[in-house]
Amino acid sequence: MEDNYEEYDNAFVGNLGDMGYGEDTQAAGEPASQIENKPKIFLMGLKRSGKSSIQKVVFHKMLPNETLFLESTSKVVKNDISNSSFVQFQIWDFPGQLDFFDPSFDYEYILNNCGAIVFVIDAQDEIIEALQKLHQTIAKVYQINPNIHFEVFIHKSDGLSDDHKIDRQRDIQQKTTEELADANINVHPSFYVTSIYDHSIFEAFSKVIQKLIPQLPTLENLLDVFISRSRIEKAFLVDVVSKIYVATDNSPVDMQTYELCSDMIDVVIDVSCIYGLKEEEEGLGYDQESHSVIKLNNGMVLYLKEVNKYLALVCLLRESNFDKHGLIDYNFICFKKAIEEVFSRKTTKAGAKKTIKKAN
Amino acid sequence: MGCVVSKSDDIKNENESRQRNQASSSQQPSSSQTPSKQIGIAAKDSEEQPQEVSYSQMRELDNDFFKDIIDRTAQKFIDVSMVGPDGKDSFLDREKDYSAQIKDSKLLKPTSLTSLPRLSQQCQMSNLQNLLSQPTTFDNELMSKYTSSISENLNGIHIKECGELVVFFGNSLK
C-alpha cells in the first residue's frame, strides 16, 4: 500500500546555517505560508528513544520490525501530514543530539505555531538524563508559549512486564510533577505507555491529535447522541490511513475494542484494494460507497461507514440490536450531514478579531 | 331688456378661482426646490457603522453554531429502541399464529372430487405399460364403431336437383 502522506526531508530555516543545515524547501504546489500555518507536533527526546520509529509506524505504515534498520536522525525532519479534510498538521522529528535551546537556534520562532510537544522516553533505558531534558524543555518552552500541550510517551514498553510498566509510569510521572511544582510551572503533562508493536502508540497519538481539534467537544456530543439512539455500544471516528481516532463517544475506551475497529479498517481497505479498484487504477480503494458489516462469533457486529474522504465511522454493537439496520443507516446519514456542517465552519483562532458591518 | 348685470354668485366664483391659482402657484416653487437624490449614494442617516467582534464573541458564536447543529441532528435521529414491534419478534409471533391456525384447521374433501367418473379398468396405472406400447382392444373396437357410423351416415346423404336458386337484395329491386 502506497503511503498517502507527503514527506520531505528538509532542515528548518533559521539560524541553522552555522550548524551545517541546508536551506528549507516547501512541498510541491503548496505555498510556504500555508505550510507554516499548520499546527505542528514536535517529536523530542534523547537519542535512540524511538522518535523516528513512532513517526514511521503511525504515519507511514512501516512495519515495526522494519524500524530496526532506521538510521539515526541527523537533522530536523519535517513531515507534512494532510491526512484528512480538516486535520492537517506537521510532524517535526528532532534529532536527539540537537540542543533545541542553543542561542544560534531560533526556537522562539518555531514554537509560535507548535500545538504539542511529544517527549519520548525509552522505558528500557536509564531515565535520569531523559527526565532532566524533559524538565528543561518544559521550563523553557512554557516561558515562550504556555499554550503548548506536553505529552510524554514512555516508549518501548513491549519489553516490560505489566507491573514494571505501571511502576515506570508512576516513577516518571511523580518525578516530573514534583519538579514542575518546585519550579512553579503550571503545566500538567499527559503520560502514555506506548509501543510500536501494539496499538498503544496509535491510541496515544490519537489523544494528542484530539487536543489539537477545536471541534472535538461537538464531535463527541454527536457521537454520544448517535450511539444512544442507535443502540450502539461504542463508536470511533477514525482516520483510515493512520488509524488514529479523532473522536469517540464518552464511554471508556477499551484497547481490545479499538484494536477490533482498527483491524476492521485494515480488512476493508485491503479487500477494496484487491477487488474494488479497476485495472491500473491507483488509490486507497476507499470512497463514498465504502461500508462494511462484519459479524463476530461472540454475538457482536462491527459496522463501518464512510464519513468523508479520509474518515470512517466504526461502531461495535450487539447482533440483537442490529435487526433494524435500516434505521441505523438513516441515523448515520443524519450524523454524516452534521459532521459536514461542523467542518464547513472555520473555528475562531486565538486573538483573532473580525470587523462586521451592521446597519443601524 | 338687453342689459348686462353681474350677479353676486359670479363674483364669489371668481374670488375662489383666484385663491386656487394662488395656492397652486405657491406649491410649485417648493416642489421644484426639492433636491434630487443621486442613485447609488446612501443617505447619511442610514450609513452602516463598522463594529469589531472580539475573540470571545467569535467563540461564543462558534459555540452557538455547534450547539445548533447538535440540537437539530438530535431531533432528526430516530430512536431505534422506540420503534416497534421488533421485526424479529414480530416474525416469530406471526409464525406461531400461522402454525396454530394450520394445526387447528381441518381440510374437507369437496364432493366434486368424488363425483368425477373413474377410469376404466383397462386404463388404470397398473396397465400403463400396455397403454403406451400398443392400442388396446377397447380402443380398436371404439374406432371401428365410429368409422362404421360415419360411413353409414355419409351413404344416407341424397342430393336432389332443384334448379337455380335466386336471391333478391334490398327493397329497390321490388
Side-chain angles (χ1 to χ4, degrees):
Chain A
M1 187 184 298
E2 186 176 358
D3 287 339
N4 281 263
Y5 301 101
E6 294 180 359
E7 177 188 8
Y8 55 97
D9 186 358
N10 297 295
F12 173 69
V13 171
N15 298 329
L16 299 180
D18 297 338
M19 304 178 70
Y21 290 93
E23 294 291 333
D24 187 16
T25 55
Q26 64 194 34
E30 193 169 17
S33 59
Q34 188 172 347
I35 296 174
E36 295 301 325
N37 286 336
K38 294 179 181 178
K40 301 177 182 66
I41 298 175
F42 292 172
L43 280 172
M44 304 180 73
L46 297 183
K47 293 186 293 183
R48 304 199 62 81
S49 59
K51 303 182 292 297
S52 298
S53 298
I54 291 172
Q55 186 253 128
K56 289 291 185 181
V57 168
V58 174
F59 299 108
H60 297 275
K61 309 291 288 183
M62 180 178 281
L63 294 177
N65 293 332
E66 295 177 356
T67 60
L68 297 174
F69 308 104
L70 288 176
E71 296 181 357
S72 296
T73 305
S74 59
K75 52 186 176 179
V76 178
V77 177
K78 292 194 283 186
N79 300 274
D80 188 31
I81 309 298
S82 300
N83 60 354
S84 69
S85 60
F86 61 95
V87 178
Q88 297 186 358
F89 55 92
Q90 287 186 327
I91 299 286
W92 288 30
D93 186 1
F94 285 86
Q97 66 273 16
L98 175 67
D99 184 4
F100 189 81
F101 302 103
D102 187 274
S104 61
F105 194 77
D106 191 7
Y107 52 85
E108 291 189 7
Y109 173 78
I110 64 175
L111 285 174
N112 281 335
N113 205 22
C114 178
I117 290 179
V118 176
F119 196 93
V120 182
I121 296 177
D122 186 346
Q124 301 182 25
D125 199 2
E126 183 59 44
I127 62 173
I128 294 177
E129 184 182 358
L131 288 180
Q132 288 177 352
K133 186 168 183 179
L134 171 63
H135 302 156
Q136 180 192 15
T137 302
I138 293 177
K140 293 190 176 183
V141 169
Y142 181 75
Q143 295 176 1
I144 300 170
N145 186 353
N147 295 324
I148 291 176
H149 298 279
F150 293 95
E151 316 290 330
V152 180
F153 286 8
I154 305 171
H155 198 48
K156 301 185 183 180
S157 63
D158 48 280
L160 304 177
S161 64
D162 291 342
D163 292 338
H164 201 182
K165 289 179 188 177
I166 297 173
D167 291 341
R168 185 52 60 105
Q169 179 181 4
R170 185 186 300 114
D171 189 23
I172 293 173
Q173 190 165 352
Q174 185 176 359
K175 284 185 167 66
T176 302
T177 304
E178 291 176 351
E179 185 71 18
L180 296 177
D182 292 342
N184 291 323
I185 299 175
N186 188 24
V187 169
H188 303 283
S190 300
F191 298 86
Y192 309 91
V193 179
T194 62
S195 170
I196 59 174
Y197 292 95
D198 56 33
H199 283 77
S200 59
I201 189 60
F202 296 96
E203 185 177 13
F205 238 103
S206 298
K207 298 294 180 58
V208 175
I209 298 300
Q210 289 171 23
K211 292 182 179 179
L212 305 179
I213 300 174
Q215 302 96 338
L216 182 65
T218 305
L219 300 178
E220 291 176 342
N221 283 330
L222 287 172
L223 285 169
D224 287 337
V225 178
F226 172 72
I227 68 168
S228 67
R229 300 293 176 86
S230 306
R231 297 190 298 181
I232 291 173
E233 303 290 325
K234 187 64 180 173
F236 293 94
L237 195 60
V238 187
D239 170 37
V240 297
V241 175
S242 64
K243 293 186 290 186
I244 286 174
Y245 65 94
V246 300
T248 183
D249 59 275
N250 284 317
S251 61
V253 174
D254 176 47
M255 181 64 74
Q256 289 183 352
T257 304
Y258 172 60
E259 289 183 15
L260 273 176
C261 296
S262 181
D263 289 344
M264 182 184 194
I265 293 176
D266 282 340
V267 170
V268 171
I269 297 299
D270 290 346
V271 171
S272 298
C273 286
I274 297 171
Y275 300 104
L277 296 178
K278 297 179 180 178
E279 189 174 358
E280 297 182 357
E281 183 181 0
E282 295 182 358
L284 192 62
Y286 176 80
D287 56 24
Q288 61 184 1
E289 301 293 335
S290 298
H291 65 279
S292 176
V293 175
I294 297 178
K295 291 188 177 182
L296 306 177
N297 59 5
N298 60 351
M300 305 297 288
V301 169
L302 287 170
Y303 173 88
L304 182 148
K305 281 279 193 176
E306 182 262 2
V307 174
N308 63 23
K309 188 176 181 182
Y310 288 110
L311 289 181
L313 182 71
V314 188
C315 306
L316 182 71
L317 67 158
R318 302 179 187 276
E319 189 173 345
S320 58
N321 292 340
F322 194 64
D323 54 313
K324 299 171 183 173
H325 57 84
L327 296 180
I328 298 176
D329 290 343
Y330 168 79
N331 285 345
F332 168 76
I333 292 173
C334 299
F335 173 82
K336 182 176 178 179
K337 289 181 179 178
I339 294 294
E340 291 171 352
E341 277 190 78
V342 168
F343 297 128
S344 67
R345 182 183 179 95
K346 294 182 179 179
T347 55
T348 306
K349 291 185 178 180
K353 290 187 177 181
K354 186 176 181 181
T355 301
I356 60 173
K357 291 186 176 181
K358 182 178 180 182
N360 293 328
Chain B
M1 182 172 200
C3 182
V4 177
V5 179
S6 297
K7 298 180 180 178
S8 61
D9 291 341
D10 295 335
I11 295 171
K12 184 178 180 181
N13 292 337
E14 186 177 359
N15 291 335
E16 290 178 355
S17 175
R18 288 176 181 174
Q19 290 176 0
R20 285 196 295 271
N21 291 335
Q22 289 175 1
S24 63
S25 64
S26 65
Q27 290 177 357
Q28 287 176 1
S30 63
S31 67
S32 63
Q33 293 175 358
T34 303
S36 62
K37 183 178 179 181
Q38 298 184 20
I39 298 173
I41 297 178
K44 293 182 179 179
D45 296 338
S46 61
E47 283 185 353
E48 295 178 349
Q49 299 296 328
Q51 292 183 359
E52 283 192 351
V53 178
S54 65
Y55 168 74
S56 59
Q57 288 175 328
M58 288 298 293
R59 284 297 300 267
E60 187 176 349
L61 291 174
D62 288 342
N63 292 335
D64 292 341
F65 175 77
F66 293 138
K67 184 176 183 299
D68 180 62
I69 292 175
I70 295 172
D71 293 341
R72 285 191 284 107
T73 305
Q75 291 176 5
K76 291 178 183 176
F77 283 146
I78 296 175
D79 192 338
V80 178
S81 62
M82 298 298 292
V83 176
D86 187 58
K88 186 176 181 181
D89 294 341
S90 178
F91 166 75
L92 293 177
D93 292 341
R94 288 199 302 268
E95 185 180 19
K96 292 178 181 178
D97 292 342
Y98 185 72
S99 299
Q101 291 177 11
I102 294 295
K103 186 176 181 181
D104 295 339
S105 66
K106 294 180 179 179
L107 296 177
L108 299 176
K109 293 182 178 179
T111 56
S112 60
L113 292 177
T114 58
S115 63
L116 292 176
R118 299 182 68 180
L119 296 176
S120 64
Q121 184 68 26
Q122 297 179 359
C123 296
Q124 290 181 357
M125 294 298 294
S126 59
N127 201 24
L128 182 60
Q129 185 174 2
N130 292 333
L131 290 174
L132 297 176
S133 61
Q134 60 186 0
T136 62
T137 306
F138 172 76
D139 293 335
N140 288 334
E141 292 177 355
L142 187 62
M143 291 299 294
S144 176
K145 179 180 176 182
Y146 288 153
T147 303
S148 300
S149 176
I150 292 171
S151 177
E152 182 178 343
N153 283 283
L154 287 174
N155 292 332
I157 298 174
H158 300 283
I159 301 174
K160 296 180 181 179
E161 181 66 27
C162 300
E164 295 182 358
L165 178 64
V166 179
V167 179
F168 295 96
F169 293 94
N171 297 327
S172 60
L173 298 178
K174 289 182 179 179

